[in-house]
């Protein structure tokens, strides 16, 4: 996941000036030295025994493949790795349960089977991005492969400092590309594909940001009757923000399970974690941006507009952007209102990591913005939100939509950590790392890995009977990933030309609104101006060539409001009639024939 983006200490301008001199000035881009690699070397003689031992001890029947197919797939890895036996490679990912399983279990198994010695480092995401930026800047091969967020897809596509995997698999990586990779089986490949239709990253884990609620309280006859009497409609999963607001007001101060509870949870400290609270699609949930999947075009959920050549042309409304438009201001306004009125008072001074455990403590009725990577921590025995039989008292459901949202728009965020090969990595080391990346995402191991981390990447895994059996213990997670709603959740798209530099602007500016130093409109005006200052520097430096920004000339905002699509003019009524849906009926509708 992305316990996200604390700081980015590598200088953007240093990187820009380096790249402006040409790729070669930033260090080597394609080292094709084959030193130490013997293409005639025989496979690891112990491979068959190691494969059998690994499958017996770790996989068993917990795979979408039968035993014969498992053995065949892993035997291919042993054979393809033969020239690279004895090579030591280093890869890196952030620290979440999925990657811990890879580092502790799958990396040693890969080494035993292939003879390639893998060091899989686990570090914080800020440190990971710093290492990646340093490698881009210097050409020094710090890591042979990175698992970094697909939020950087626009950065990777424009700077062209990573290998595009489409060409890699057809060219230099062909001999080490698994015949059973099955790219169509990856549910997040659209997130890691550039506007040029090339795949730049291979998904390794992903999870969604969903609506979380206390199913037991929502199902309670007393609560249902009281809510209906007060609001005139049924208590249920809120379809829109109007209903969410009513439910938050209803539960705040109410007594449940012998304690006073709150109708909402969030956090508000001016801290780096506040930034991704919003870049992770909060504005899209309100209705910011244009229609489109996986991201709105020409205006995305960050409010950045691109032209027909995918060049960013503006962030402020005056240039056709939507970062400071009515939908964005509405999104910030509601965030602040709900935080102050319906969340515990301490939430206003919390960071992400401090607020995360609070719903599991049993005094929160609902949360609009909840990451499913925490599912495993929310079903631990003995928690106030877990029944004695191990089933959860809570459920997850699709996020409610804001007043500006229209059908066809993105509705939420989905994090996708994905394998990335830098061009500065020598080709033989990249080949060995690519084998490891495919091994830890292979059909042989993915089902077991997904049961460990609950971060799905393959359709075959999601549909496996073992998850049908486990679904009742996971609070709706499986049902969501099997539902047609899933496609409306996606990571940051390709409109964002330099993710690390732009992302850090959000917490600084929105933090001013959270602290009361600025109004929501003032904060978003400052944010869009700051984003455009970065876009202007990129355009002036020319470091992204024909793919880089080309800013529009500012116009009267009304000119853009009068045109179709985003930015949308301010609504006369930002509180449409509230709407809810029964959770069980919602899940049943997903299974109904079209």
């Amino acid at each position: 996941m992305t316990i996200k983006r604390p700081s980015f200490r590598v200088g953007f301008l240093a990187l820009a000036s380096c790249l402006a001199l040409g790729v070669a000035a930033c260090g080597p881009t394609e080292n094709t030295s084959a030193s130490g690699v013997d293409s005639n070397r025989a496979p690891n003689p112990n491979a068959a025994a190691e494969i059998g031992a690994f499958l017996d001890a770790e996989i068993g029947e917990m795979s979408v493949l039968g035993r014969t197919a498992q053995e065949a797939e892993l035997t291919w890895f042993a054979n393809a790795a033969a020239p690279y036996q004895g090579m030591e490679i280093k890869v890196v990912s952030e620290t979440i349960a999925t990657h811990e399983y890879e580092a502790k279990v799958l990396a040693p198994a890969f080494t035993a089977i292939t003879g390639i010695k893998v060091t899989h480092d686990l570090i914080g995401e800020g440190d990971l991005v710093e290492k990646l930026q340093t490698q881009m800047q210097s050409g020094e091969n710090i890591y042979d492969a990175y698992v970094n967020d697909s939020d950087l897809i626009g950065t990777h596509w424009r700077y062209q400092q990573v290998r595009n995997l489409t060409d890699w698999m057809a060219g230099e990586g062909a001999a080490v590309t698994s015949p059973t990779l099955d790219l169509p089986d990856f549910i997040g490949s659209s997130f890691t594909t550039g506007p040029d239709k090339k795949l730049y990253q291979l998904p390794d884990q992903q999870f969604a940001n969903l609506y979380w609620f206390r199913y037991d309280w929502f199902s309670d006859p007393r609560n249902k009757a009281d809510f209906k009497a007060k609001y005139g409609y049924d208590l249920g999963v809120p379809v829109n923000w109007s209903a969410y607001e009513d439910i938050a007001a209803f539960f705040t101060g109410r007594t449940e399970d012998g304690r006073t509870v709150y109708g909402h949870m969030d956090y508000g400290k001016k801290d780096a974690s506040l930034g991704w609270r919003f870049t992770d699609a909060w504005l899209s949930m309100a209705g910011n941006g244009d229609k489109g999947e996986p991201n709105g075009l020409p205006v995305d959920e960050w409010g950045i507009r691109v032209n027909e050549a995918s060049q960013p042309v503006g962030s402020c409304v005056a240039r056709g952007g939507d970062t400071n438009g009515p939908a964005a201001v509405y999104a910030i306004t509601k965030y602040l209102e709900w935080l102050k009125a319906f969340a515990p008072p301490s939430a206003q001074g919390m960071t992400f990591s401090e607020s995360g455990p609070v719903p599991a403590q049993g005094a929160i009725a609902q949360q609009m913005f909840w990451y499913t990577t925490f599912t495993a921590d929310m079903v631990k025995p003995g928690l106030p939100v877990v029944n004695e039989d191990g089933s959860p008292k809570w459920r997850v459901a699709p996020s409610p939509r804001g007043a500006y949202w229209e059908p066809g728009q993105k509705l939420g965020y989905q994090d996708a950590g994905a394998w990335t090969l830098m061009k500065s990595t020598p080709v033989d080391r990249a080949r060995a790392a690519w084998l490891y990346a495919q091994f830890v995402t292979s059909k042989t191991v993915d089902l077991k890995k997904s049961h460990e981390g609950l971060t799905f990447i393959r359709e075959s895994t999601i549909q496996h009977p073992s998850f049908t059996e486990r679904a009742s213990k996971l609070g709706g997670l499986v049902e969501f990933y099997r539902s047609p709603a899933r496609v409306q959740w996606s990571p940051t798209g390709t409109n964002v030309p330099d993710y690390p530099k732009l992302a850090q602007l959000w917490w600084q500016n929105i933090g001013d609104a959270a602290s009361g130093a600025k109004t929501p409109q003032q904060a978003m005006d400052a944010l869009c101006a700051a984003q455009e200052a970065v876009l202007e520097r990129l355009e002036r430096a020319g470091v992204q060539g024909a793919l880089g920004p080309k800013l529009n000339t500012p116009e009267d905002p009304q000119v853009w409001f009068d045109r179709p699509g985003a930015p949308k003019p301010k609504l006369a009524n930002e509180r449409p009639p509230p709407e809810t849906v029964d959770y069980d009926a919602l899940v049943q509708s997903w299974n109904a024939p079209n």
Side-chain angles (χ1 to χ4, degrees), residues 135-321:
Q135 186 158 338
M136 288 175 65
Q137 177 183 345
S138 67
E140 175 190 0
N141 188 50
I142 302 172
Y143 283 101
D144 300 305
Y146 294 79
V147 182
N148 67 278
D149 278 1
S150 72
D151 293 334
L152 277 85
I153 180 62
T155 308
H156 291 328
W157 172 62
R158 288 184 176 87
Y159 280 122
Q160 290 292 306
Q161 287 286 293
V162 306
R163 289 173 163 97
N164 92 61
L165 298 178
T166 301
D167 292 349
W168 165 257
M169 290 185 289
E172 288 183 321
V176 287
T177 296
S178 170
T180 55
L181 179 59
D182 192 8
L183 282 175
D185 194 41
F186 284 79
I187 63 173
S189 59
S190 64
F191 308 154
T192 59
T193 299
D196 58 358
K197 309 303 181 185
K198 305 283 189 179
L199 185 75
Y200 283 83
Q201 300 169 274
L202 182 72
D204 179 272
Q205 53 82 10
Q206 65 189 69
F207 52 88
N209 192 321
L210 298 177
Y211 170 73
W212 178 95
F213 71 105
R214 285 294 299 267
Y215 178 79
D216 56 339
W217 296 350
F218 278 51
S219 303
D220 180 77
R222 177 180 65 94
N223 288 341
K224 294 174 73 171
D226 289 352
F227 186 88
K228 183 69 173 285
K230 184 173 184 178
Y231 294 101
Y233 63 96
D234 291 332
L235 176 62
V237 173
V239 173
N240 58 15
W241 285 16
S242 302
Y244 183 88
E245 188 171 74
D246 285 348
I247 295 168
F250 174 76
F251 277 107
T252 299
R254 195 171 175 85
T255 299
E256 299 290 344
D257 300 335
R259 61 192 300 188
T260 301
V261 303
Y262 296 90
H264 173 65
M265 185 59 202
D266 215 320
Y267 61 97
K269 186 175 182 178
K270 191 174 183 180
D271 170 83
S273 66
L274 190 63
W276 59 265
R277 162 68 180 80
F278 292 91
T279 59
D280 285 1
W282 181 249
L283 271 61
S284 75
M285 294 163 68
N288 173 274
D290 277 311
K291 298 177 182 180
E293 294 173 357
N295 299 88
L297 283 174
V299 182
D300 72 352
E301 70 277 10
W302 286 41
I304 296 175
R305 175 180 287 272
V306 296
N307 61 19
E308 296 80 0
S310 290
Q311 296 172 302
V313 296
S315 175
C316 298
V317 171
R319 284 191 167 102

